[in-house]
Amino acid sequence: MRITNQTKGTELASAARVARSLSSRTIGLLGKRALPQGEALVIDPCSSVHTAFMRFTIDVVYLDPSKRVIKAVADLKPFRISGVLRGKCSVIELPRGAIAASNTSPGDQLAFDS
């Protein structure tokens, strides 16, 4: 799945996968050695992200139900917590630098294309 920032006309990911089941959301990126540029993991629903036991830094984008960016966290290092947001939201875990490269910021509207 492709994720684009409609507000800025940029691409966040060309190959995203979605984690909706409890097991896929719990495992997330654990065990991976890296998240290659262009890839992403969408966790839905999700209100908080941790990087415990991860081996690499990621960018995290929080979305409201209409896919509008609520919060963008760049360079979340291993063994950190991104914080908790209240209400219904989902999260996109991206390779380090994806937020800056796509110029994504709170308020931007994202689109998901199969």
Side-chain angles (χ1 to χ4, degrees):
M1 168 175 40
R2 183 173 184 240
I3 303 173
T4 56
N5 182 329
Q6 290 183 315
T7 304
K8 306 283 176 52
T10 56
E11 180 179 86
L12 275 87
S14 57
R17 65 182 178 92
V18 179
R20 284 199 177 95
S21 71
L22 179 60
S23 63
S24 65
R25 289 181 7 239
T26 301
I27 294 169
L29 298 174
L30 292 176
K32 306 279 187 209
R33 293 188 183 271
L35 184 59
Q37 292 300 319
E39 292 189 13
L41 178 65
V42 179
I43 305 173
D44 183 31
C46 183
S47 60
S48 178
V49 170
H50 70 83
T51 56
F53 307 105
M54 286 182 56
R55 303 174 184 184
F56 52 94
T57 300
I58 60 172
D59 285 358
V60 181
V61 174
Y62 286 85
L63 305 175
D64 70 12
S66 67
K67 298 183 179 76
R68 187 167 301 279
V69 177
I70 302 169
K71 180 180 178 181
V73 179
D75 297 327
L76 185 63
K77 294 175 179 31
F79 292 93
R80 302 291 196 283
I81 299 173
S82 67
V84 178
L85 292 183
R86 295 180 191 250
K88 186 174 171 128
C89 59
S90 58
V91 167
I92 306 172
E93 294 182 340
L94 297 151
R96 180 183 191 182
I99 290 173
S102 63
N103 198 26
T104 298
S105 58
D108 289 353
Q109 181 67 53
L110 304 188
F112 292 60
D113 301 312
S114 300

